[in-house]
Amino acid sequence: MVTIEPQATRGDAFDPECPTRVVLDRIGDKWTVLVIASLEGGSLRFSELRARIGGVAPKVLTQTLRAMERDGLLTRTVHAQVPPRVDYELTPLGASLTGPIATLTDWAETHLAVILASREDYDTAFDAR
Amino acid sequence: MVTIEPQATRGDAFDPECPTRVVLDRIGDKWTVLVIASLEGGSLRFSELRARIGGVAPKVLTQTLRAMERDGLLTRTVHAQVPPRVDYELTPLGASLTGPIATLTDWAETHLAVILASREDYDTAFDAR
DNA sequence: CAGCATCCGTTCTGATACTG
DNA sequence: CAGTATCAGAACGGATGCTG
């Protein structure tokens, strides 16, 4: 039982505006999910996000944040003061993404053991290397 | 309400065995989702998959298929005949992924209009180019 | 502080050609 | 038929240094 039909699927994959692709590209990104998780508790400043997530280069964080802002997942608020202060906050749209993500996370945690076991089997079976 | 806590999240992102990452890496992949959708109706041969999905290079299809097989998402059955015939079929595990994917797809279709509108606003507002 | 510009190594992607 | 081998081009990720 799927929303996607074979025919539609084919076309969708190459349509950059396919809803599924738009969303998949976003949450397939390593940092987007982290940002959403970090902002669930409320707005955070750039440096706070950086510290919270850890190990992310400012350039990459900025890219992620910009993409998410562009998609309306979060708001970027610049406070006119010195030193500068910029707050990021999830929009209702962004917050609503936590649902689907949680679904994925649950599935992942439930099935991880099986997947990992499968990998091990596969690797030991095929490793003639 | 999230399964992920800030602390755990941070660590997880860098742990390649983090359940969320394992799954996200897989379904974030353009072709994996297409393969799953294609195989929902039953097993398919390599060339059938290729035709169904369209535009995918054999090398890339093979990579995708191998990764999915390794994770136990599908089975690869080689029939000893000439010409060769290889069937791919979703395992129960692979089939169970359609649920979470459907959740995402639904969300995507529901919110696409808003996202696209947001992008347009963003682009027209910032395009001094 | 927030972030932009630049540079560079790595990975990914896909096209093309060839084989068991 | 079902891949594998090879290779060039693009995209990505990240480190560094500088600025409003």
Side-chain angles (χ1 to χ4, degrees), chain A residues 8-40:
Chain A
T9 299
R10 195 226 114 107
D12 283 350
F14 298 96
D15 180 0
E17 296 211 336
C18 161
T20 303
R21 275 257 59 79
V22 168
V23 174
L24 249 31
D25 285 347
R26 197 63 61 226
I27 74 161
D29 178 49
K30 187 178 173 180
W31 306 112
T32 303
V33 179
L34 279 287
V35 170
I36 289 178
S38 299
L39 289 179
E40 274 181 76

Side-chain angles (χ1 to χ4, degrees), chain B residues 39 43-44 46 49 65-66 74-76 86-89:
Chain B
L39 288 179
S43 77
L44 248 35
F46 186 86
L49 268 173
L65 258 12
R66 286 290 195 285
L74 53 75
T75 57
R76 177 171 176 273
V86 180
D87 285 318
Y88 292 91
E89 184 171 18

Side-chain angles (χ1 to χ4, degrees), chain A residues 25-86:
Chain A
D25 285 347
R26 197 63 61 226
I27 74 161
D29 178 49
K30 187 178 173 180
W31 306 112
T32 303
V33 179
L34 279 287
V35 170
I36 289 178
S38 299
L39 289 179
E40 274 181 76
S43 76
L44 247 36
R45 308 177 54 172
F46 186 85
S47 51
E48 289 173 330
L49 267 174
R50 226 190 132 181
R52 185 78 66 104
I53 293 175
V56 59
K59 187 189 91 173
V60 176
L61 218 208
T62 299
Q63 283 175 351
T64 305
L65 258 12
R66 284 291 194 285
M68 293 176 70
E69 186 195 4
R70 191 172 100 103
D71 285 357
L73 298 178
L74 53 75
T75 57
R76 177 172 177 272
T77 310
V78 182
H79 298 276
Q81 50 183 243
V82 179
R85 175 200 179 94
V86 181

